[in-house]
């Protein structure tokens, strides 16, 4: 008996069917059967199903003699299902990688509930992806199991059949089946959820809900949408047959009215000539099922009036929205005029003429003013220690959030961007330090010194080099970017490679400063136990081997996220004594990537999601080995002299779409894996830390950590801010690294000449 039976009804989906079936049969969790129902499809869908059944015994095919529709096609598959749990997958949708394993684990954790509700993401025909907007409901209900009465918000989720796993015995006990017609999910989902004694949730995207450009039956203009009334009649009949569910009648009455009005309001559902009839049918049903003693609130009151009143309200609503839009536009214009007036009154020209520069004032910003982070933070801390007379002020966009995240210590002076105080400070600051470009409004004051730290060593194309990569530069105004770079005075570099790349990618008037990367001082100076505090806070046992997985974004996929590795499977394959720590690229942190399993896997303790940890240096210090694809993190991590594994299964696609400065797979920082299976073999065999790994790492570190010697932050302060151009670091202090080479192993000597400033 398999764990899952996946019922897949098929009708005119030959273009999507293979992808759908592959998404199920290619899952790492293989205890599954597929019941595929050919609903007398006129295209090649039936032949595709037979082809899959011939080569995979887990696939069973039912060919119907006539087309019966989606609901009854699902019914045809139900008697053949033998799995513990039922899943219904529409044949143009797909399961996410690792979905069945995540479902199986959650079912085991919750002792086989009647229903498990999981998350999904809409995937649009033009390439976009959007997570379910009510995903928070799944997270809020994540503790244990419950009933709909205990957590009624579960009914606010989309009333569909395919975002749930159903215990087959529960379905058989209640005799649940699908009715004919459109909206067949409604009279299935409400009865199922109201009858379930134990419901659980999984806060993980397990299904990709394809949004087709054409062909979606619910977006087809037709009188078939009148079917919604019959479906709600079935829901009310079900509730009437079970007195214990009578309390739900007011809720269902309201839900029915809202659902029907939503269909009526959509421009692509009903023929215009039929809208009045649909409204009157909805109003009759609304009156017939109104529970005694209940009132009617909000927009539903229109159902107690006529269609003319409904149209008037719609027109009034449109007029109000248009007025609100125009008012908002007027407010923005007025705000812009006021800002222009302030600039004229308190503008750069007046400030330049009246106020001298303050040579001891340093204005800092990092990562678009998120907080005290990165290279600017390392320079700031060094300045406070070496030159306490310097006044350091940070530009912070959201100080409350920054404080909560630990990115704004209480003793740090800060200013909000765009405020008059910010403009005054920016106009008078002798030095400005940032790791991204300052905004356009911040002009270059004669005599001020702009120090640009960058975001690490470049592998992928940057700046002017993006002009030859139209996909990678989508949304990037390269000429404007170069105009901003014209304000740089110093460009910090950690190696000769970066120096050459920045001078090519940003053909501007700055000087390359061979200082090293200030934030990497903490890595060069690492001592045994430096990562212990973070390990303890994240609940990682002190004796575990920590594998840090840091994937980057892809330009060949809209949104940038491509799941190359199933993190749950990788964590399981690593086995006891290991902890997998995942840190997503910052640009992926707010997208669907977290919903693809990280949040749920972190909550269950399968792995640690360290994406939100504010200081990446601490995450690196807490790890024993880095697994990455093409993240620039590898160049920083090499300073630790700890093993690095490069996972490069899509290198060709990545290099072609983004553009790269060299083939990192030919000059890697460690062993290279080309498939998830090869990666697991590398990690479990111990090859990740063998002599060849050390040899590759040594060559990589010599090339890309050339100027990182632990003195970068102090070097910036002394040579670029204080003007001590002849300063050299004390030669008596040994700089050590820890890691695979063992505690106390000395980092190879850095190349000479890192104190020189070269003009580009």
């Amino acid at each position: 008996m398999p764990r899952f039976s996946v019922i897949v009804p098929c009708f005119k989906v030959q273009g999507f069917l293979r992808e759908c079936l592959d998404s199920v049969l290619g899952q790492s969790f293989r205890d599954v059967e597929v019941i595929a129902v050919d609903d007398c499809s006129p295209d090649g869908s039936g032949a595709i199903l037979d082809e899959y059944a011939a080569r995979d015994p887990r696939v069973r095919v039912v060919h119907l003699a006539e087309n019966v529709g989606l609901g009854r096609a699902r019914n045809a598959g139900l008697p053949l299902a033998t799995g513990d749990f039922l899943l219904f997958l529409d044949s143009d949708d797909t399961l996410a990688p690792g979905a069945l394993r995540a479902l199986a684990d959650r079912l085991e954790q919750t002792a086989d509930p009647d229903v498990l509700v999981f998350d999904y993401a809409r995937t649009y025909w033009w390439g976009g992806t959007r997570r379910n907007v009510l995903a928070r409901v799944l997270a809020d209900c994540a503790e244990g199991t419950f009933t709909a009465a205990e957590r009624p918000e579960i009914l606010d989720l989309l009333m569909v059949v395919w975002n749930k796993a159903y215990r087959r015995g529960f379905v058989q006990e209640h005799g649940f089946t699908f009715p004919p017609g459109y909206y067949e999910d409604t009279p299935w989902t409400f009865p199922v959820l109201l009858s379930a004694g134990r419901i659980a949730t999984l806060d993980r995207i397990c299904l990709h809900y394809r949004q087709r450009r054409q062909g979606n039956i619910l977006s087809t203009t037709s009188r078939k949408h009148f079917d919604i009334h019959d479906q709600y009649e079935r829901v009310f009949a079900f509730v009437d047959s079970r007195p214990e569910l009578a309390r739900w009648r007011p809720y269902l009455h309201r839900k029915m009215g809202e659902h029907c009005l939503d269909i009526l309001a959509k421009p692509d559902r009903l023929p215009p000539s039929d809208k009045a009839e649909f409204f009157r049918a909805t109003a009759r049903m609304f009156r017939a099922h109104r529970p005694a003693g209940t009132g009617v609130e909000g927009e539903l009151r229109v159902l107690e009036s006529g269609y003319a009143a409904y149209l008037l309200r719609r027109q009034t609503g449109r007029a109000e929205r248009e007025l609100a839009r125009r008012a908002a536009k007027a407010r923005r214009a007025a705000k812009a005029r006021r800002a222009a007036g302030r600039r004229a009154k308190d503008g750069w020209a007046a400030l330049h003429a009246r106020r001298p520069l303050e040579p001891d004032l340093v204005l800092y910003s990092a990562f678009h003013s998120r907080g005290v982070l990165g290279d600017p933070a390392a320079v700031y801390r060094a300045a406070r220690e070496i030159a306490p007379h310097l006044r350091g002020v940070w530009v912070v966009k959201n100080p409350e959030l920054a404080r909560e995240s630990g990115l704004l210590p209480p003793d740090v002076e800060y200013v909000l961007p765009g405020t008059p105080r910010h403009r005054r400070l920016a106009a008078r600051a002798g030095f400005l330090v940032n790791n991204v470009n300052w905004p356009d409004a911040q002009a270059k004051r004669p005599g001020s010194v702009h120090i640009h730290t960058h975001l690490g060593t470049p592998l992928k194309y940057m700046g002017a080099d993006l002009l030859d990569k139209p996909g990678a530069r989508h949304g990037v105004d390269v000429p404007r970017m170069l105009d901003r770079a014209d304000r740089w005075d110093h460009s910090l570099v950690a190696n000769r490679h970066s120096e050459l790349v920045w001078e090519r990618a940003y053909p501007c008037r700055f000087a390359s400063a061979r200082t090293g990367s200030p934030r990497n001082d903490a890595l060069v100076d690492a001592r045994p136990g430096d990562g212990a505090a973070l390990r303890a806070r994240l609940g990682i046992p002190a004796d575990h081997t920590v594998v840090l997985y840091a994937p980057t974004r892809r330009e060949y996929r809209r949104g940038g996220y491509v799941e190359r590795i199933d993190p749950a499977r990788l964590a399981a394959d690593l086995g006891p004594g290991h902890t997998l720590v995942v840190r997503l690229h910052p640009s992926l942190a707010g997208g669907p990537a977290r919903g693809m399993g990280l949040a749920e896997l972190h909550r269950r303790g399968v792995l640690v999601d360290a994406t939100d940890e504010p200081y990446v240096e601490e995450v690196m210090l807490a790890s024993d080995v880095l697994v990455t694809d093409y993240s620039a993190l590898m160049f920083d991590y090499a300073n630790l002299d700890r093993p690095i594994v490069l996972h490069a299964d899509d290198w060709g696609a990545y290099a072609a779409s983004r553009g790269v400065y060299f083939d990192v797979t030919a000059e890697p920082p460690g062993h290279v894996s080309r498939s998830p299976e090869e990666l697991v073999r590398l990690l479990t065999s111990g090859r990740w830390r063998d002599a060849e790994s050390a040899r590759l790492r040594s060559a990589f570190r010599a090339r890309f950590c050339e100027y990182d010697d632990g003195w970068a932050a102090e070097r910036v302060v002394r040579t670029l801010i204080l003007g001590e151009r002849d300063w050299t670091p004390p030669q008596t202090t040994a700089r050590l690294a820890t890691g695979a080479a063992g505690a106390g192993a000395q980092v190879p000597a850095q190349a000479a000449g890192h104190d020189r400033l070269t003009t580009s």
Side-chain angles (χ1 to χ4, degrees), residues 30 96 185 198 229 252 286 309 437 458 471 476 501 525 562 578 642 663 681 699 754:
R30 298 185 57 81
D185 286 5
R198 298 176 66 246
H229 300 125
L252 294 171
F286 191 75
N437 264 317
V476 177
V501 166
D525 291 339
V562 180
H578 296 77
R642 299 179 190 178
D663 185 353
R681 286 195 296 271
H754 56 254

Side-chain angles (χ1 to χ4, degrees), residues 43-92:
D43 62 2
S45 296
I48 293 173
L49 295 179
D50 291 338
E51 173 193 330
Y52 273 77
R55 68 171 186 247
D56 195 320
R58 295 176 296 168
V59 179
R60 301 178 64 185
V61 181
V62 179
H63 294 282
L64 300 183
E66 61 178 352
N67 177 248
V68 298
L70 184 58
R72 287 192 287 183
R74 289 169 177 160
N75 290 341
L78 276 172
L80 302 179
T82 62
D84 298 329
F85 280 83
L86 303 172
L87 291 168
F88 297 96
L89 180 64
D90 289 352
S91 47
D92 55 353

Side-chain angles (χ1 to χ4, degrees), residues 32 39 74 219 224 227 232 265 276 456 544 583 651 674-675 737:
V32 59
D39 190 13
R74 289 169 177 160
S219 295
K224 290 183 178 181
D227 181 65
Y232 270 101
H544 271 210
R583 186 177 179 87
W651 171 248
R674 303 283 184 173
S675 69

Side-chain angles (χ1 to χ4, degrees), residues 144 494 506 584 586 606 740:
Y506 297 96
L584 297 176
V606 174

Side-chain angles (χ1 to χ4, degrees), residues 294-575:
T294 61
V296 179
E297 300 178 351
E299 293 294 321
L300 293 177
R301 291 196 186 99
V302 74
L303 290 171
E304 297 185 322
S305 306
Y307 186 61
Y310 167 78
L311 289 178
L312 179 61
R313 171 167 286 197
R314 291 276 297 169
Q315 292 167 357
T316 302
R318 283 194 292 269
E320 290 174 347
R321 288 191 294 272
E322 177 61 19
L323 287 173
R325 186 189 67 81
R326 292 182 179 181
K329 183 178 180 180
R331 286 194 297 271
R332 289 194 297 270
K335 183 178 180 181
R337 287 193 297 271
R338 289 194 299 271
R342 285 196 301 268
R343 285 194 295 271
K345 179 181 178 181
D346 192 29
W348 288 102
L351 287 168
H352 292 177
R354 297 197 309 267
R355 299 174 180 173
L357 286 172
E358 295 183 15
D360 292 340
L361 174 59
V362 187
L363 195 64
Y364 296 91
S365 180
F367 297 101
H368 303 286
S369 302
R370 281 180 50 210
V372 183
L373 283 166
D375 287 315
V379 174
Y380 170 76
R381 287 190 289 267
R384 292 187 68 171
E385 179 180 346
I386 299 165
H389 66 280
L390 293 175
R391 178 190 176 194
V393 182
W394 280 83
V395 183
V396 181
K397 181 165 50 179
N398 189 331
E400 290 76 18
L401 179 62
R403 286 196 191 94
E404 291 175 6
S405 306
L407 301 181
L408 183 59
D411 61 340
V412 172
E413 184 180 358
Y414 71 92
V415 63
L416 295 173
T419 59
R421 180 169 176 261
H422 172 223
R423 290 195 298 275
R424 288 193 295 272
L425 288 170
R428 303 186 69 176
F431 297 88
L432 299 103
V433 183
N434 202 343
N435 63 3
V436 295
N437 264 317
W438 293 97
D440 291 333
Q442 191 149 311
K444 170 67 171 169
R445 174 88 182 270
S448 65
V449 177
H450 286 222
I451 299 172
H452 191 73
T453 72
H454 298 285
L455 295 173
T457 293
L459 170 63
K460 59 189 180 183
Y461 276 10
M462 307 291 287
D465 290 329
L466 291 175
L467 292 172
D468 293 331
K469 294 291 179 181
R473 74 165 192 267
H474 179 71
V476 177
D477 187 339
V478 174
R480 190 175 178 185
M481 179 189 296
L482 298 182
D483 287 342
R484 293 169 177 165
D486 280 333
R487 298 175 295 191
W488 303 350
D489 291 292
H490 300 292
S491 165
L492 306 191
V493 296
N495 48 67
R496 299 173 202 266
H497 163 78
S498 295
E499 183 174 338
L500 295 175
V501 166
W502 296 137
E503 292 179 9
R504 164 185 162 141
Y506 297 96
C508 303
R509 293 181 294 273
F510 58 81
S512 294
R514 297 177 173 179
T515 58
S517 177
R519 71 183 182 281
N520 285 346
D521 290 347
L523 306 180
V524 177
D525 291 339
R527 295 293 191 276
D530 277 359
L534 182 63
R535 284 194 182 211
R537 183 161 59 79
L538 296 177
I540 301 174
D543 59 343
H544 271 210
T545 298
V546 175
V547 178
L548 172 59
Y549 174 46
T552 193
R553 64 176 291 114
R554 266 70 169 175
E555 268 68 26
Y556 63 77
R557 175 70 61 84
R558 187 181 291 270
Y561 180 67
V562 180
E563 190 173 71
R564 310 303 307 178
I565 297 173
D566 179 355
R569 182 174 181 178
L570 177 59
D573 288 339
L574 289 175

